[in-house]
Amino acid sequence: MRPPFPLSPARDERGAAAVELALMLPMLAVLLAGIVDLGRAVWLHQAAVKAARDSVRFLTRVPTPWSNVTYQTQATNLARTGSLAGDTPLLAPNVAAAFSYPTEALGGLAGS
């Protein structure tokens, strides 16, 4: 029969793994949540960059985009939803697009 108290405290290691797990589990959960959150942030950044590139690419292929509100609306829809019609937002619905063209820097070629 074993004595109720161990003779040497260094020899009794029952439950040590459970204590180590209890100490490490919160840190591992926080680490996992951080990895997921960072991955989501990178994905959102890439989606926003792609939307801006697609919108600018569309505007470079249409004639006179600065004078046609329809082209600007379609470019905004393309940035927000991924389609010209503007069906369902891929990103946050409060994405705004601003169009400005500094005609003074062109030396009067584009008008004033």
Side-chain angles (χ1 to χ4, degrees):
M1 185 160 141
R2 290 178 59 154
F5 299 105
L7 298 175
S8 172
R11 296 181 72 193
D12 188 21
E13 295 183 7
R14 290 177 293 165
V19 171
E20 290 172 2
L21 177 68
L23 290 174
M24 291 302 294
L25 197 58
M27 289 186 277
L28 291 175
V30 168
L31 181 66
L32 180 65
I35 290 170
V36 169
D37 195 36
L38 181 65
R40 185 173 178 268
V42 169
W43 178 80
L44 282 173
H45 179 266
Q46 281 302 112
V49 167
K50 182 186 179 307
R53 284 182 182 157
D54 289 346
S55 179
V56 169
R57 187 175 295 122
F58 169 75
L59 286 174
T60 59
R61 295 178 184 262
V62 297
T64 62
W66 56 85
S67 64
N68 193 333
V69 177
T70 304
Y71 290 144
Q72 293 177 6
T73 303
Q74 287 177 338
T76 303
N77 289 339
L78 187 61
R80 289 183 61 220
T81 65
S83 70
L84 295 176
D87 303 328
T88 305
L90 294 175
L91 300 172
N94 58 356
V95 172
F99 301 95
S100 62
Y101 300 94
T103 56
E104 296 84 25
L106 298 176
L109 296 175
S112 53

